Amino acid sequence: MTVAVRQCMLRLQDEHSLEDYEGGVPRWCKGCGDNAILAAVQRLCRGEDLSLERTVFVSGIGCSSRFPHYMGTYGFHGIHGRAFPIAEGIKMARPDLNVFVNTGDGDCCSIGAAHWIHALRYNMNLTVLLHDNFVYGLTKKQASPTSPKGLRTNTTPRGAYLDALNPLSVTLGVQSVSFVAQAVDWIPQVLFDIVAAAYRHRGFSFVRIIQRCPEFMPGLFDPWLQDPSKTLLLTHEDGLQLAPELARIYKNHREHDPLDIDGARRLASSDDAIPVGILYRNPEVPCYEDLRRAGQARPVERIRAGLEAELDRFTVWPVADTHSGT
Ligand SMILES: Cc1ncc(C[n+]2csc(CCOP(=O)(O)OP(=O)(O)O)c2C)c(N)n1
Ligand code: SF4
């Protein structure tokens, strides 16, 4: 069913069903963590009753970047590393839209790294999901900036030489950062709660989701799945709140105030248990689209006059022919 037909039908409905947010059938591998992220996002859209025609998912290139195809909303499958500028352009033109970005660790932290830093600085109201599987999945196991030191890949057959880049620490180092969280694909309720908090934050909400790639990194996170004490859940009345069932399993949890940026930086760089929750949130950081009063309609006449003036600069006007007397 096309988006247009679907929209006509939806106008007759009061609210959306989960199926309304489903797009194509996902082609990710069995057990790929991207499936869990998709389920959490579709649940969020349903819970918030987001309108299909006012919601757009933007991605770069990679397995994770196939995300927009699997949503029933609008989407833009961009080019490698360029999801941020595309999303920013959409937000500038249409600040009323719900704009999500899905990006892989290669897409965001390698080829797109410059765009990532500047997007953080601009703090536009975007919900950004970094699907971090520690490897380039689509191109069949090449090292990414988040690959663990020593990882053997097709581009590092003797093992990766460098320490991994930490996306949380990088993000928390940018002056106008406004929301940073970390989730893991294998605790679905917490993943959902974090994605929902990111969506509700007005500003650039950055969620790093540790995502399993069973195809090229099999068993990498088995120790964390088998031993819940290796995951540190961050709770707070203004952050994540744990359901009693989860609190019984994940006993390693502690209070962390999302306003505490020094605490957030310490947690981000800690080598102990994986911190999961909202590390930092500051709703006071201004959004670039507000500073620039984005989305103001420009009258067609003004656009036409501007284009005419620009074209006139390059127009070669015919020179009067003095010999023919014209
Ligand atoms: C300019 C450019 N360079 C390289 C590529 C090849 N390429 C496609 S996807 C990709 C890496 C994807 O890895 P990641 O962003 O981590 O996503 P994943 O596939 O793991 O989800 C690369 C290098 C490309 N498509 N375009
Ligand atoms: S290669 Fe890895 S990241 Fe890509 S779809 Fe398969 S499991 Fe997922």
Side-chain angles (χ1 to χ4, degrees):
M1 191 188 300
T2 66
V3 171
V5 172
R6 191 196 291 249
Q7 280 165 10
C8 288
M9 291 176 67
L10 285 171
R11 283 195 192 98
L12 304 173
Q13 288 175 215
D14 285 342
E15 52 182 39
H16 299 89
S17 69
L18 205 51
E19 291 71 39
D20 293 329
Y21 298 102
E22 291 174 1
V25 177
R27 292 200 194 153
W28 292 311
C29 308
K30 197 172 157 197
C32 174
D34 287 338
N35 293 292
I37 301 172
L38 180 69
V41 169
Q42 288 173 339
R43 193 178 148 202
L44 167 79
C45 292
R46 167 69 188 87
E48 299 286 331
D49 198 28
L50 301 189
S51 71
L52 301 182
E53 69 275 21
R54 291 163 79 91
T55 303
V56 53
F57 285 79
V58 182
S59 65
I61 297 290
C63 296
S64 41
S65 288
R66 292 194 53 76
F67 203 95
H69 295 279
Y70 306 144
M71 292 298 301
T73 60
Y74 279 88
F76 195 135
H77 188 176
I79 49 174
H80 199 31
R82 272 67 190 172
F84 291 119
I86 295 166
E88 289 161 331
I90 294 170
K91 199 72 193 175
M92 272 313 268
R94 290 287 308 275
D96 57 309
L97 300 184
N98 306 304
V99 185
F100 291 78
V101 174
N102 296 88
T103 179
D105 39 300
D107 197 60
C108 174
C109 310
S110 187
I111 191 170
H115 295 303
W116 170 35
I117 301 301
H118 290 285
L120 280 160
R121 190 170 160 252
Y122 277 57
N123 191 42
M124 297 183 82
N125 187 19
L126 305 171
T127 307
V128 178
L129 307 179
L130 168 62
H131 304 224
D132 192 352
N133 59 7
F134 298 44
V135 75
Y136 289 1
L138 189 74
T139 43
K140 304 199 181 299
K141 200 175 185 184
Q142 297 165 327
S144 95
T146 61
S147 294
K149 190 173 179 178
L151 183 77
R152 289 176 190 271
T153 70
N154 293 330
T155 44
T156 56
R158 296 196 180 93
Y161 289 101
L162 303 177
D163 283 326
L165 175 143
N166 182 331
L168 297 175
S169 299
V170 172
T171 302
L172 286 162
V174 176
Q175 199 174 13
S176 42
V177 60
S178 77
F179 183 105
V180 182
Q182 177 153 269
V184 291
D185 77 48
W186 57 89
I187 315 181
Q189 182 58 46
V190 172
L191 172 63
F192 169 78
D193 288 344
I194 291 174
V195 172
Y199 167 74
R200 289 176 198 138
H201 171 76
R202 190 159 195 284
F204 190 95
S205 314
F206 181 83
V207 186
R208 180 206 195 188
I209 305 170
I210 297 181
Q211 173 237 322
R212 285 168 296 171
C213 170
E215 183 68 18
F216 296 120
M217 307 289 267
L220 182 66
F221 293 107
D222 284 358
W224 281 266
L225 272 91
Q226 284 153 11
D227 179 1
S229 73
K230 291 172 80 66
T231 304
L232 171 63
L233 287 170
L234 307 173
T235 55
H236 194 266
E237 58 182 352
D238 295 328
L240 189 65
Q241 281 144 37
L242 280 188
E245 315 83 77
L246 274 176
R248 271 198 294 278
I249 299 168
Y250 290 94
K251 295 199 172 62
N252 187 9
H253 47 89
R254 81 164 208 227
E255 289 278 298
H256 166 70
D257 182 350
L259 279 172
D260 174 8
I261 194 158
D262 294 329
R265 287 178 178 144
R266 277 194 300 277
L267 282 164
S269 58
S270 143
D271 282 336
D272 303 337
I274 295 180
V276 166
I278 299 171
L279 281 93
Y280 184 63
R281 175 171 53 210
N282 180 357
E284 304 300 323
V285 183
C287 293
Y288 187 74
E289 63 266 40
D290 297 338
L291 300 174
R292 294 297 309 275
R293 294 192 295 160
Q296 288 195 330
R298 273 172 289 171
V300 175
E301 299 72 36
R302 203 173 135 208
I303 296 171
R304 186 176 294 137
L307 281 173
E308 295 287 1
E310 202 54 35
L311 289 171
D312 281 354
R313 291 176 45 208
F314 301 101
T315 305
V316 181
W317 296 105
V319 181
D321 184 350
T322 46
H323 297 292
S324 64
T326 54

